[in-house]
Amino acid sequence: MSEEKSLNFIEEIIENDLKSGKYETLVTRFPPEPNGYLHIGHAKAICLNFGLTQKYGGYTNLRFDDTNPVTEKTEYVNSQQEDIQWLGFQWKNELYASDYFDQLYSYAVQLIEKGLAYVDESTAEEIAAQKGTPTEPGTPNQYRERSIEENLELFTKMKNGEFEDGACILRAKIDMASTNMLMRDPIIYRIKHAHHHRTGDAWCIYPMYDFAHGQSDSIENITHSICTLEYVSHRELYDWFIAQLGIFPSKQYEFARLNLTYTVMSKRKLLQLVNEGHVSGWDDPRMPTVSGLRRRGYTPESIREFCERIGIAKRENLIELSLLEFCIREDLNKKATRAMAVLDPIKLVITNYEGDGEILIGENNPEAEDKGGTREIPFSKELWIEREDFMEEPAKKWFRLAPGATVRLKFAYIVKCESFVKDADGNVTEVHCTYIPESKSGSDTSGIHVKGTIHWVSTAHAKTAEVRQYDRLFSVVSPDAEEGDFKDYLNPNSKEVLSKVYIEPALAEATLGTGYQFIRKGYFCLDKDSTADHLVFNRVVSLKDGWKG
RNA sequence: UGUCCGAUAGUAUAAGGGUAGUACGACAGUUUUUGGUACUGUUUGUCUUGGUUCGAAUCCAGGUCGGACAACCA
């Protein structure tokens, strides 16, 4: 029993099952339908399923739940595999529900032979009407009493393609009056003359989720089949099929799915954002998809840490985006190389500086264990500095530049603001300073202490880049819960493009997949749109800003 | 009107009959050549009404509130 950390309810069940000898080996599975891209909610399930077998031994299968040929594509199979591996997990077996189509078919035949399934020729509307409502029982129809022989014959014809789509279906014969709507003779096979991404045209009947999932779990000897809360009412059916077929009794356990503030999580809605062009694609850095987060600059470690922190429970939850941001800041703080970039430039002229070709040395990461090494930073008389680092009339507790104020230029000298220049519109365009030669960083003998340090880039040496700054996709905490269309609540300012940002020369060597901290501004990463002569950076997340001006 | 699930600080998550704790957030302070980081402190909570008990967040009963369930989707 681990005393250090408390167990979630699933871990408790597993520890009990292992301790009691109910199972020797833990087997879990991650079962996505390949009909879209994986999102952070899937990441929670991935971390849970794979994390459990890492912790307790055993293994986890990746099983694609591909029982609906019209929505599924190989493109999605590939992206989902890539995302799982990127998150840092490796499945034991790559499997498909479609691997079991023959077996599933024979299970259906067994049910018919036991008088527990029948072919129903009612229309979809009739079936819905006969189903009753949650408060009124359903009513059986005439097809329910067909003979086993007739059912066998009709089901064979269904399989052989002798019927059109929708002409009939195979239903389990359970209880039309059950309080659980799912037990009112659920449909288990339907006709779809559709091309399947793996079985091609071999089949024209396909099992429904409820007739495929539990049996697939059972075939794979899954001990703990973990899914989200909306499947609670399916559990009765899940157990029923396993009991009637007398196969390995996998057990289903449900946990609450992840909801994140300021975003939506359903595949349907994410697909809509993509299709209607509200975002650039599934991997738009604003999307809560794994590929979007990856492009945004999130690390696998940060996402795993997030999934660890949110916990596993059965109550509905809405996790604050700030926790995700905390996780990536925490990770990148240790990893990201520091560099200077000026996003909104004005010029700073050091009137008494006459140096030429001075090179300063900067530490790459004071938070890394090895400090990340150092780099060379060219300095000169004219620099770009951030517009927001100068205030003509300083606020109280203002530590940055203002007329007469002193400030340190990061890695360089202390300067004093002597004057400034405005354009015709009244915007400050230049700040003129004098510097203190003996205040050089690392060998400061000036004895002067300043409260503020600002970043800068030498105008003569600056490279340029495009910077894309992202904000929350929606302007309301819970777009799903609002009145009307969720898209009405899109944040119109979720993406801001800065086309000409000045960066220090070292940043021109930035590589894809690496996090950088633009000192005092935030964490950034190179975007895949970057080319050698047009660098593009994404802002992963800003730094926490202690300035409450 | 039914069945099932759930309810602990702002948000999550522990405590499984015996001190309501932790994290994020917020606020304050210390350190700091990033108003970052780090460190310290403060803040706020058991849905409700009864019952069992020496003792209830925990067990029981009723209520309230929230969620799920009537796709030939998964």
Side-chain angles (χ1 to χ4, degrees):
Chain A
M1 297 267 219
S2 57
E3 297 278 56
E4 321 88 49
K5 198 174 180 301
S6 55
L7 304 176
N8 64 50
F9 77 99
I10 293 175
E11 292 171 324
E12 286 189 19
I13 290 167
I14 288 172
E15 289 203 356
N16 286 334
D17 287 348
L18 257 21
K19 199 165 52 184
S20 72
K22 182 173 178 184
Y23 303 112
E24 282 179 15
T25 306
L26 176 64
V27 186
T28 62
R29 105 267 91 121
F30 176 64
E33 182 187 14
N35 70 343
Y37 281 69
L38 262 23
H39 54 63
I40 182 90
H42 293 108
K44 177 180 180 182
I46 290 167
C47 291
L48 212 211
N49 278 294
F50 285 92
L52 251 14
T53 51
Q54 284 179 349
K55 180 172 179 179
Y56 294 107
Y59 59 89
T60 302
N61 287 342
L62 169 60
R63 182 176 70 240
F64 292 98
D65 227 329
D66 55 350
T67 56
N68 186 355
V70 303
T71 58
E72 297 149 6
K73 289 193 222 163
T74 303
E75 170 200 353
Y76 296 130
V77 169
N78 296 334
S79 79
Q80 293 183 351
Q81 290 189 358
E82 183 189 352
D83 287 348
I84 296 165
Q85 288 175 320
W86 178 77
L87 280 170
F89 298 103
Q90 186 56 55
W91 50 89
K92 165 106 168 185
N93 302 301
E94 176 186 333
L95 300 164
Y96 296 78
S98 54
D99 293 338
Y100 312 131
F101 280 173
D102 284 312
Q103 179 67 259
L104 262 10
Y105 179 81
S106 105
Y107 285 152
V109 170
Q110 283 177 46
L111 243 34
I112 294 172
E113 287 170 342
K114 292 178 77 173
L116 294 173
Y118 61 99
V119 174
D120 191 326
E121 294 166 53
S122 307
T123 63
E125 295 71 34
E126 286 165 346
I127 287 174
Q130 291 159 7
K131 199 143 199 173
T133 70
T135 53
E136 304 159 40
T139 48
N141 62 30
Q142 73 266 31
Y143 305 111
R144 200 170 198 267
E145 299 310 322
R146 267 198 230 274
S147 69
I148 289 172
E149 293 66 34
E150 192 180 359
N151 280 317
L152 248 17
E153 185 187 330
L154 285 168
F155 189 47
T156 303
K157 286 185 174 176
M158 279 173 65
K159 183 199 181 197
N160 291 342
E162 296 180 33
F163 297 115
E164 297 296 303
D165 286 11
C168 51
I169 43 105
L170 184 71
R171 302 177 78 168
K173 190 176 186 176
I174 309 180
D175 177 7
M176 287 303 286
S178 173
T179 53
N180 181 350
M181 298 291 289
L182 284 162
M183 299 299 280
R184 322 244 264 225
D185 289 11
I187 295 170
I188 59 180
Y189 261 95
R190 77 290 213 191
I191 301 170
K192 274 181 192 284
H193 290 273
H195 190 82
H196 187 277
H197 75 115
R198 291 187 78 243
T199 59
D201 299 312
W203 293 86
C204 64
I205 57 171
Y206 293 92
M208 296 288 287
Y209 165 84
D210 285 304
F211 197 69
H213 203 98
Q215 288 92 317
S216 301
D217 285 341
S218 180
I219 290 166
E220 294 174 24
N221 284 305
I222 302 299
T223 54
H224 300 259
S225 176
I226 302 165
C227 61
T228 49
L229 247 25
E230 61 266 36
Y231 291 97
V232 168
S233 56
H234 291 252
R235 190 175 59 233
E236 190 179 357
L237 229 201
Y238 181 105
D239 291 338
W240 192 87
F241 285 129
I242 284 177
Q244 298 306 325
L245 294 167
I247 55 181
F248 179 82
S250 298
K251 288 291 176 189
Q252 173 180 303
Y253 300 94
E254 312 87 9
F255 69 97
R257 73 184 320 149
L258 165 67
N259 295 294
L260 242 197
T261 55
Y262 300 106
T263 192
V264 293
M265 210 69 90
S266 88
K267 262 189 217 168
R268 200 192 98 243
K269 287 177 179 167
L270 294 175
L271 180 64
Q272 239 182 93
L273 294 176
V274 172
N275 286 346
E276 295 174 17
H278 295 106
V279 295
S280 63
W282 285 101
D283 68 345
D284 186 293
R286 292 166 292 182
M287 291 281 273
T289 51
V290 173
S291 50
L293 291 166
R294 176 166 62 229
R295 186 171 175 187
R296 175 75 168 261
Y298 275 82
T299 58
E301 293 79 6
S302 68
I303 293 175
R304 278 189 256 129
E305 174 66 16
F306 174 75
C307 291
E308 188 64 38
R309 283 171 178 266
I310 58 180
I312 300 294
K314 297 188 79 154
R315 94 181 73 134
E316 306 287 332
N317 59 78
L318 180 62
I319 309 285
E320 291 176 348
L321 196 58
S322 59
L323 183 62
L324 223 205
E325 294 182 338
F326 166 81
C327 291
I328 187 59
R329 284 195 188 104
E330 184 188 44
D331 192 37
L332 255 20
N333 179 49
K334 294 177 303 200
K335 295 176 180 168
T337 292
R338 271 58 172 172
M340 295 195 287
V342 176
L343 306 182
D344 182 14
I346 58 173
K347 193 174 283 187
L348 182 145
V349 181
I350 307 172
T351 54
N352 62 337
Y353 182 82
E354 299 304 336
D356 185 28
E358 182 171 1
I359 302 291
L360 302 171
I361 300 300
E363 198 172 61
N364 284 336
N365 185 357
E367 302 304 324
E369 283 169 31
D370 62 352
K371 303 297 181 194
T374 57
R375 68 186 186 286
E376 298 186 336
I377 310 168
F379 185 73
S380 66
K381 183 184 179 79
E382 285 195 5
L383 313 172
W384 294 117
I385 62 164
E386 215 68 66
R387 179 176 303 280
E388 64 177 18
D389 284 339
F390 175 81
M391 248 185 144
E392 187 178 343
E393 293 174 33
K396 60 249 164 279
K397 305 255 283 233
W398 178 255
F399 300 160
R400 286 116 96 160
L401 280 172
T406 53
V407 79
R408 175 174 293 279
L409 297 171
K410 180 76 180 172
F411 303 125
Y413 302 90
I414 292 173
V415 293
K416 179 179 184 186
C417 174
E418 307 288 355
S419 62
F420 58 95
V421 179
K422 283 184 174 180
D423 66 13
D425 299 325
N427 298 313
V428 174
T429 55
E430 287 186 18
V431 177
H432 291 192
C433 295
T434 52
Y435 87 117
I436 297 163
E438 56 273 25
S439 69
K440 183 170 179 174
S441 188
S443 55
D444 186 349
T445 55
S446 70
I448 300 171
H449 285 284
V450 293
K451 294 275 259 227
T453 298
I454 66 170
H455 60 280
W456 51 273
V457 176
S458 165
T459 60
H461 308 88
K463 309 280 188 198
T464 61
E466 174 182 325
V467 167
R468 299 172 182 169
Q469 304 200 104
Y470 300 101
D471 196 359
R472 48 186 63 150
L473 228 199
F474 290 87
S475 48
V476 295
V477 172
S478 191
D480 293 308
E482 297 290 334
E483 295 285 316
D485 190 354
F486 75 102
K487 296 192 295 309
D488 294 343
Y489 302 92
L490 278 161
N491 174 9
N493 306 312
S494 60
K495 181 179 183 181
E496 181 190 11
V497 176
L498 306 175
S499 55
K500 195 175 185 187
V501 162
Y502 292 109
I503 59 176
E504 65 166 270
L507 271 177
E509 314 301 323
T511 53
L512 229 40
T514 309
Y516 300 88
Q517 186 195 95
F518 290 3
I519 292 176
R520 299 208 306 138
K521 297 309 294 181
Y523 294 101
F524 294 78
C525 70
L526 205 61
D527 187 81
K528 69 177 188 184
D529 286 349
S530 266
T531 60
D533 48 4
H534 183 74
L535 297 174
V536 180
F537 286 92
N538 294 320
R539 184 175 69 189
V540 188
V541 67
S542 64
L543 252 30
K544 277 179 72 176
D545 191 358
W547 167 243
K548 304 290 191 300

